[in-house]
Amino acid sequence: MVPDTTTSPRTGRQELLTALGEIEQRVLWLSAATIDHANRVRPNPTGLKVGGHQASCASMVSIMTTLWFHELTADDRVSVKPHASPALHAVNHLLGELPAEALTTLRSFGGLQSYPSRTKDPDPVDYSTGSVGIGATAPIWGALARRYVEGRFPGAGTGRQYALLGDAELDEGACWEAVQDPMVAGLGEVVWIVDLNRQSLDRVVPALSAERLAGMFEAAGWQVLTLKYGEQLTELFSRPGGEALRTRLDTMGNPEYQRLLRCTPAELRDRLPGTGSTREPLERLVATLDDDALHSAVRNLGGHDLGALLDAYAAIDDTRPTVILAYTVKGRGLHSEGHPQNHSSLLTRDQLADLATRTGADPDDPWRPLPDGAAARLCAERAEELRRPPVGRIAPPPVPTDFGRTPGGTGTTQQAFGRALLDLSRSAPEAAARVVTVSPDVSSSTNLGGWLNKVGVWSPTERVDWFADDAETILHWRENPTGQHVELGIAETNLVGLLGELGATWSRWGQPLLPIGIMYDPFVNRALEPWQFGIYAGGQSLLVGTPSGVTLAPEGGAHQSITTPSLGLEQPGCTTWEPAFAQDAEWCVLAALSLLGRPDGGSAYLRLSTRPVDPAARERRRRQAVAGAYGLRRAEGTPDVTLAAMGAMVPEALAAADRLASLGVAADVVCVTSPGLLFRATQARRGLDDAPQWVLDQAFPADRAAPLVTLLDGHPHTLAFLGTVHNTPVTPLGVTHFGQSGALDEVYRHHGIDTESVVRAALDLTHRP
C-alpha cells in the first residue's frame, strides 16, 4: 500500500517521494516521446503538421503523477486539460491500461485522440476536453449529476471530481459562470487544480495575478490553496538574504521571471539580484549557491514539488469546492522550458536524446518498462487500487409513442410540451421518474409550472418554501432531494454543461436519466458549443428551445431566432423537430425521450412556439410526424405547386393554398416536422446515408412532384434541399436578417413569409400572372 503522508515517518515519506519522482520522470519522457513519434517517426506522406504539446504536458507531470500514483481513489473522476492528453496516456500506460504500441498512434486515424475523449480513446478518459473552459467546468456538472443519481437511484457512489486546467483557460467566461452559480457552492467534492504556468499560446501573460484569481474564487465560496514555492526555495527564504529573495520573486513581473529560466548561471547571478534595495543581500545569498543549486532554485515552484502537492491534497476541505493554484513552469525539464513560444514546439533529436539521459529512458527503446523497484511496484499497486468494476447498465424504461388522447381547443406547441410531461407521469410513471428538467430561471415562462408543482425542485437538502401558504402563489417552489427539476442561474452554458453530464449517467454509473433542458430559442446559439461537446462526449439529452422565431413579433429583433431550425441538418448525434400542432409536439417529445439513456441513442432538439394553431388543421399521422413530414392537404388532381411549411408558419401555407385555389392553382401542403430527418432520407437515396427513406414517398410522392415553395420561421436554407427530392424548382422563404418589433402580420410581411409572399412565390414558380 502507498504510505499515508499524514502519519508516515520521514523515511517512509522520502521513499514515497523518491518513487513518485522516478514515475514523474517517466511520465515526462513518455509524453514527449509519444509526440515526437507522431511527428518524426511515423510516416507522414501528406507532410501536414501533426502537432502535439510537449511543453504543456511537461508543466502538468508533477500534478498528474501525485494524483494518479498517490491521491486518487477508484470513485474519483478527473478532467485533464486538452494539451496534456499525451501525459494522460502516459499515466494510463504506466497503470497497465494502455499497451506500449498504442503510444505510437497519437493523432493517427483510429488512434489516440488529439485531446482526451471519453468515446474515442481506448484507455480510461473520464471527461472529454478540447474546447477550453468546457472540460474545466464538466466535473462541476458531473458532481451534481452524481449527487442527483445517487439520491434517486443509489449506486453512483462518492468520490471527488477533479479538473486539471491551464491558467489561460480561466479567460473563458464559462469558467466563472460555473464557479459563481449558487448551486455550486455546496459541491465539496469539486477540486480544480490550476496549472499556473503564466503562459498562453503566444506569450507570457504579463498581468496574470494569482492573488486576484484567489479573491474571485474566495468570493464564490471556494477554498483556495496556493502552491507558489517548493521546498528548496522555502529553505532559502530562511537564510540571510532570504526575505529579500522572497520579496524580489513576489514583486517580479511574469515576463521577467520567465526570462530568468532561460539564463545561464552566470547570467542569473547578475539578473536575479535586480537593481533595488534587494540587490546587495541577494548578491550575498546567491554567492553561497553553486551553479546547479542556483539553476534549480529559480525554477523550484510549488506545482513541481511533489511533497507540497501531497500536502495540498491532504488539506482539501470537502465541505466546499476547492481550487489549488499551483505555480508551474511551462516546459519544465525540457530545453524549451519557460520560452514564450514553446506551446507547440518540438524537441530536436539531440534534445530528445538528452531528455532520455536525464530521465533514465532509452531513445532507441522509448517504451521500455520501468526497471524493477519501488516505482514499478507503486505503479502496480495503484493500478489495482484504481481499477473500476464494469458498469452494469440498466435499460431505460419504455416511453409510450402516444398517450391516446386528442388535445382539444386551440393550443401552442409550448403548451403541449408542458402537458406532455404531466401526461407522461400519469401514463408511464417509471419513465417519468427518470426525467429531470433543467432551466436557467425560465420555468414559469416556458410552461413548466405544472410539472414543477407535481415533481418539485431538486436540492441537496430540503429548504423551506416560505410562500407555500400565500394564496396568490401559483408556482410552488418545493426544494428537496427528491425533486426532478434543477434551476440554475441565467447562464445557458451552465445549463447545457449540466445537461451533458446528466445525459451521461447511463454510461458512467449505469443509471439512465431522461434529461430535458429548456431555454428561450433565441439564446440556443449561445449554448451550442458546450452542448455539442456534451454530445461528442456521450451525453444524451433533449434541448427545448421555446418560444422561437420572428413569431415573437413584439419582442423585437434581439429575441427572434433565425438559425436554430437547421440544427438537425448540421449537428451530428442530434435529431431536430419543429412541430406545428399540439398533437405533433406530443409525439415528437415522446420520440425524443425514447432516444435517451441507451448505447444506440442520441440527443434531440425541439423548437417550439407560443403561437396558437387550430388543431382542426392537423392530419393524424404520428408515424410520419415523428419521421419528418406528412401531407397535410392534397389538392384534387395533379398539384401545380407544393407548399412545404414548418412549425408556426403552417397556417400561412394553408391560407396561401386557399388563395391559390381561388386563382385556379392547385397546391399541396406538406407539414415538415424535422428537416434533419428528411435530409438524411434524401442522402440515403443517393447511397450517402443508411437512414429510412419511406417518409419521402409518403410526404412527397413522385406522382405529385411539383415546383416547391418552402416556408419556415428561420433561415430559408434549412428546407431548400427539398427541391432535390424530385429535382423540382424551389423557392425557399424564411428569415435572413434581423427582425423588427411589431404586430405579427407586419413582421411576417417584413420578412416575406406572410401569406401574400407565399402566393407570389407560387405564382412565379408556376408562371402564373
Side-chain angles (χ1 to χ4, degrees):
M1 294 295 292
V2 178
D4 183 347
T5 61
T6 62
T7 60
S8 299
R10 177 67 184 174
T11 53
R13 178 178 171 93
Q14 190 54 53
E15 289 173 356
L16 169 65
L17 294 178
T18 299
L20 289 173
E22 187 176 347
I23 296 171
E24 173 193 37
Q25 292 301 296
R26 186 52 59 99
V27 173
L28 176 64
W29 164 256
L30 288 173
S31 59
T34 297
I35 296 168
D36 181 79
H37 189 281
N39 285 273
R40 292 207 173 96
V41 180
R42 192 171 66 227
N44 182 9
T46 66
L48 294 174
K49 173 187 173 184
V50 176
H53 303 86
Q54 291 173 330
S56 294
C57 289
S59 67
M60 290 291 295
V61 294
S62 307
I63 294 169
M64 295 178 69
T65 297
T66 51
L67 266 183
W68 266 270
F69 296 95
H70 181 270
E71 187 64 22
L72 294 182
T73 71
D75 285 335
D76 296 337
R77 299 291 186 272
V78 187
S79 169
V80 177
K81 75 174 188 177
H83 294 151
S85 172
L88 175 60
H89 297 309
V91 166
N92 281 334
H93 168 64
L94 292 175
L95 291 172
E97 298 283 2
L98 194 68
E101 54 267 24
L103 297 176
T104 67
T105 67
L106 179 70
R107 299 192 174 207
S108 66
F109 185 80
L112 299 178
Q113 299 300 295
S114 305
Y115 309 121
S117 172
R118 282 193 73 224
T119 57
K120 293 187 176 183
D121 276 318
D123 52 331
V125 174
D126 293 331
Y127 289 97
S128 296
T129 60
S131 186
V132 294
I134 296 175
T137 61
I140 290 178
W141 312 123
L144 203 156
R146 186 205 61 77
R147 286 199 183 198
Y148 183 92
V149 169
E150 181 63 18
R152 299 186 66 84
F153 312 104
T158 59
R160 288 176 179 165
Q161 299 276 343
Y162 290 88
L164 309 184
L165 62 154
D167 50 10
E169 205 163 354
L170 291 174
D171 290 345
E172 285 288 346
C175 291
W176 299 107
E177 287 182 352
V179 164
Q180 64 81 42
D181 192 279
M183 189 70 74
V184 173
L187 299 177
E189 62 268 48
V190 172
V191 180
W192 281 15
I193 305 177
V194 180
D195 173 18
L196 202 71
N197 59 47
R198 294 172 280 189
Q199 284 188 236
S200 61
L201 190 150
D202 293 326
R203 60 173 181 159
V204 177
V205 181
L208 178 68
S209 168
E211 292 76 14
R212 178 173 61 85
L213 292 175
M216 295 167 70
F217 278 105
E218 286 172 345
W222 288 49
Q223 177 192 25
V224 178
L225 302 173
T226 301
L227 299 181
K228 189 167 187 179
Y229 300 120
E231 183 178 6
Q232 184 182 4
L233 272 176
T234 301
E235 191 277 327
L236 286 178
F237 294 155
S238 67
R239 298 186 187 183
E243 281 303 314
L245 176 60
R246 183 192 291 271
T247 299
R248 173 82 169 112
L249 291 175
D250 282 345
T251 58
M252 185 181 294
N254 295 335
E256 183 183 4
Y257 171 76
Q258 295 283 114
R259 183 63 185 88
L260 292 181
L261 301 175
R262 311 291 301 168
C263 290
T264 65
E267 292 171 330
L268 272 177
R269 294 182 189 279
D270 177 60
R271 287 177 181 251
L272 180 58
T275 59
S277 61
T278 61
R279 183 169 184 84
E280 185 176 342
L282 272 181
E283 284 181 328
R284 291 196 297 268
L285 176 60
V286 166
T288 67
L289 305 176
D290 61 28
D291 285 354
D292 288 343
L294 181 60
H295 180 270
S296 62
V298 78
R299 50 190 35 80
N300 181 229
L301 299 181
H304 298 299
D305 189 297
L306 302 178
L309 285 163
L310 296 183
D311 292 341
Y313 303 149
I316 291 173
D317 176 5
D318 286 319
T319 66
R320 55 181 173 150
T322 296
V323 60
I324 300 175
L325 301 176
Y327 280 75
T328 60
V329 173
K330 191 166 184 174
R332 188 176 188 275
L334 307 181
H335 283 261
S336 61
E337 69 177 1
H339 194 281
Q341 281 86 54
N342 67 4
H343 182 75
S344 57
S345 64
L346 296 173
L347 298 178
T348 66
R349 288 288 189 199
D350 291 342
Q351 291 170 347
L352 190 72
D354 178 66
L355 178 65
T357 299
R358 289 187 286 110
T359 59
D362 183 355
D364 296 324
D365 186 11
W367 323 120
R368 185 181 65 188
L370 282 167
D372 291 339
R377 289 194 298 273
L378 180 56
C379 289
E381 291 168 1
R382 292 299 289 158
E384 286 299 317
E385 292 167 358
L386 294 177
R387 185 161 292 119
R388 298 169 183 163
V391 175
R393 293 175 182 167
I394 297 173
V399 176
T401 58
D402 192 344
F403 293 132
R405 180 179 58 80
T406 302
T410 299
T412 73
T413 54
Q414 179 176 291
Q415 290 170 339
F417 165 69
R419 186 173 60 244
L421 292 181
L422 292 174
D423 286 345
L424 184 69
S425 67
R426 290 186 286 264
S427 301
E430 289 187 4
R434 298 273 172 174
V435 171
V436 52
T437 55
V438 187
S439 71
D441 199 38
V442 294
S443 300
S444 57
S445 57
T446 54
N447 283 87
L448 276 183
W451 169 255
L452 260 68
N453 287 341
K454 182 175 182 62
V455 302
V457 178
W458 182 83
S459 174
T461 59
E462 188 163 0
R463 297 176 181 173
V464 176
D465 179 7
W466 293 103
F467 287 86
D469 58 349
D470 188 319
E472 296 184 11
T473 297
I474 299 175
L475 186 65
H476 297 286
W477 208 258
R478 295 179 291 105
E479 297 179 86
N480 55 66
T482 63
Q484 290 180 245
H485 175 78
V486 181
E487 187 89 357
L488 299 176
I490 305 175
E492 285 78 10
T493 298
N494 286 350
L495 179 141
V496 295
L498 175 56
L499 206 59
E501 292 307 317
L502 290 169
T505 60
W506 65 274
S507 58
R508 286 199 193 283
W509 301 294
Q511 290 288 354
L513 296 177
L514 307 181
I516 304 173
I518 305 96
M519 67 175 67
Y520 292 159
D521 192 74
F523 307 136
V524 165
N525 284 331
R526 186 184 302 172
L528 275 184
E529 186 201 0
W531 189 52
Q532 73 176 6
F533 211 83
I535 294 174
Y536 169 78
Q540 299 172 359
S541 60
L542 168 57
L543 183 61
V544 178
T546 183
S548 62
V550 299
T551 298
L552 289 170
E555 294 282 355
H559 280 63
Q560 296 175 358
S561 51
I562 297 172
T563 61
T564 51
S566 61
L567 281 181
L569 297 174
E570 299 148 2
Q571 176 57 55
C574 171
T575 301
T576 294
W577 282 284
E578 184 173 341
F581 307 107
Q583 182 67 75
D584 295 357
E586 175 188 294
W587 290 332
C588 293
V589 168
L590 296 175
L593 292 177
S594 71
L595 299 175
L596 306 180
R598 48 197 304 152
D600 60 344
S603 294
Y605 173 66
L606 203 61
R607 191 174 190 248
L608 304 179
S609 175
T610 50
R611 185 189 185 191
V613 177
D614 186 352
R618 65 167 176 80
E619 185 82 11
R620 300 182 185 180
R621 295 183 178 177
R622 184 200 63 80
R623 187 165 176 257
Q624 292 179 47
V626 170
Y630 57 88
L632 184 60
R633 181 182 296 181
R634 300 297 192 197
E636 292 187 9
T638 302
D640 300 305
V641 66
T642 297
L643 310 179
M646 186 164 69
M649 303 311 303
V650 168
E652 274 61 38
L654 292 169
D658 290 339
R659 188 82 55 82
L660 289 168
S662 69
L663 298 173
V665 177
D668 280 356
V669 179
V670 175
C671 179
V672 175
T673 55
S674 177
L677 292 176
L678 295 183
F679 180 74
R680 289 194 61 191
T682 60
Q683 291 290 84
R685 280 195 170 180
R686 297 168 175 81
L688 302 176
D689 205 322
D690 60 356
Q693 307 170 38
W694 61 266
V695 66
L696 297 179
D697 297 326
Q698 296 291 321
F700 302 96
D703 61 351
R704 302 190 69 80
L708 190 66
V709 177
T710 64
L711 179 66
L712 74 153
D713 187 354
H715 200 283
H717 88 278
T718 306
L719 298 179
F721 73 91
L722 290 176
T724 67
V725 174
H726 296 300
N727 294 319
T728 54
V730 59
T731 298
L733 301 181
V735 180
T736 59
H737 49 277
F738 291 119
Q740 300 285 339
S741 294
L744 192 61
D745 58 343
E746 295 172 319
V747 171
Y748 280 4
R749 192 179 310 116
H750 171 75
H751 290 286
I753 55 175
D754 60 321
T755 299
E756 289 298 327
S757 296
V758 178
V759 170
R760 284 196 300 270
L763 293 176
D764 287 343
L765 279 175
T766 56
H767 306 293
R768 303 294 181 93

